[in-house]
Amino acid sequence: MFFHRALIALWLGAAGLNMAAPAAAAGTVVASEERVEAAYLHKFLNYADWPPASFPQADTPYVIGVAGDDAVADELAHIAAGRSVNNRGVIVKRLLPGDAVNGLHMLFVGRGERARLAQWLHQAKGRPILTVSAFDGALEQGSILNFRVVDDRVRFEVSIDAAEQSGIHLNSRLFSVATNVVKGNR
């Protein structure tokens, strides 16, 4: 458990964040749920490998689509500004209902799009798009990663099968930080 918390703190510390802690020390900045989720989204880029065809050129940037959560989109754009991941820039696109997911490397479906989660996941299905959501039961619907709040902290769970179906290889270090790793039919 200590290793788990230390690894998460290291991840978020690199983004300049501290997670909400029940007993936050005086002077500690407590990050909002949206800020922590945005930091995770940015960090996930380091722990996933896309098929080579997903990046036509060596400097093709990562494109992250955010649907249904402007606060996360704002925080993610702030975190990504001026930074690169694996020598690639990061572009954040706000998506509206009905927008296409073509050209995305990651799709985050936030709280405002709960009713359309299945539609977003259907669009991404079979494509090399790392899907991330924030709803109970989202892994069963086909999401690869799903945020959950556990003990007042933002955590995430992983579906290995959904990642494999999308052609994305997830680094095993990601599994050590996840609260739940699902493999096989649920």
Side-chain angles (χ1 to χ4, degrees), residues 17-41:
L17 298 175
N18 291 310
M19 294 186 317
T28 300
V29 176
V30 177
S32 69
E33 187 173 328
E34 292 81 7
R35 194 168 186 201
V36 173
E37 288 175 353
Y40 270 126
L41 292 172

Side-chain angles (χ1 to χ4, degrees), residues 52-62 86-88 105:
S54 299
F55 300 97
Q57 299 179 4
D59 61 348
T60 298
Y62 291 104
N86 301 322
N87 296 319
R88 300 180 188 280
H105 297 97

Side-chain angles (χ1 to χ4, degrees), residues 11 13 17 20 25 36 44-45 47 58-59 78 81 84 87 94 98 113 123 128 170:
W11 266 32
L17 298 175
V36 173
F44 289 154
L45 297 172
Y47 295 89
D59 61 348
H78 177 75
S84 64
N87 296 319
R94 292 173 195 257
E113 286 294 298
Q123 274 199 74
L170 298 176

Side-chain angles (χ1 to χ4, degrees), residues 48-167:
D49 291 321
W50 282 261
S54 299
F55 300 97
Q57 299 179 4
D59 61 348
T60 298
Y62 291 104
V63 180
I64 303 174
V66 177
D69 201 323
D70 289 344
V72 169
D74 289 344
E75 290 292 341
L76 183 56
H78 177 75
I79 291 168
R83 292 186 181 176
S84 64
V85 177
N86 301 322
N87 296 319
R88 300 180 188 280
V90 178
I91 296 172
V92 179
K93 294 176 67 175
R94 292 173 195 257
L95 301 176
L96 299 172
D99 282 352
V101 298
N102 298 339
L104 297 181
H105 297 97
M106 182 187 297
L107 168 65
F108 174 66
V109 182
R111 291 157 193 81
E113 286 294 298
R114 182 183 186 99
R116 286 182 279 273
L117 175 64
Q119 295 168 350
W120 287 110
L121 294 175
H122 179 73
Q123 274 199 74
K125 188 173 184 174
R127 297 178 185 208
I129 299 173
L130 181 61
T131 54
V132 186
S133 51
F135 310 108
D136 287 341
L139 292 188
E140 289 84 356
Q141 293 187 50
S143 187
I144 297 172
L145 299 169
N146 187 53
F147 290 124
R148 303 198 61 184
V149 176
V150 178
D151 297 330
D152 296 325
R153 295 172 188 261
V154 176
R155 302 285 199 246
F156 63 90
E157 55 188 355
V158 181
S159 170
I160 295 173
D161 291 342
E164 289 175 353
Q165 290 169 8
S166 70

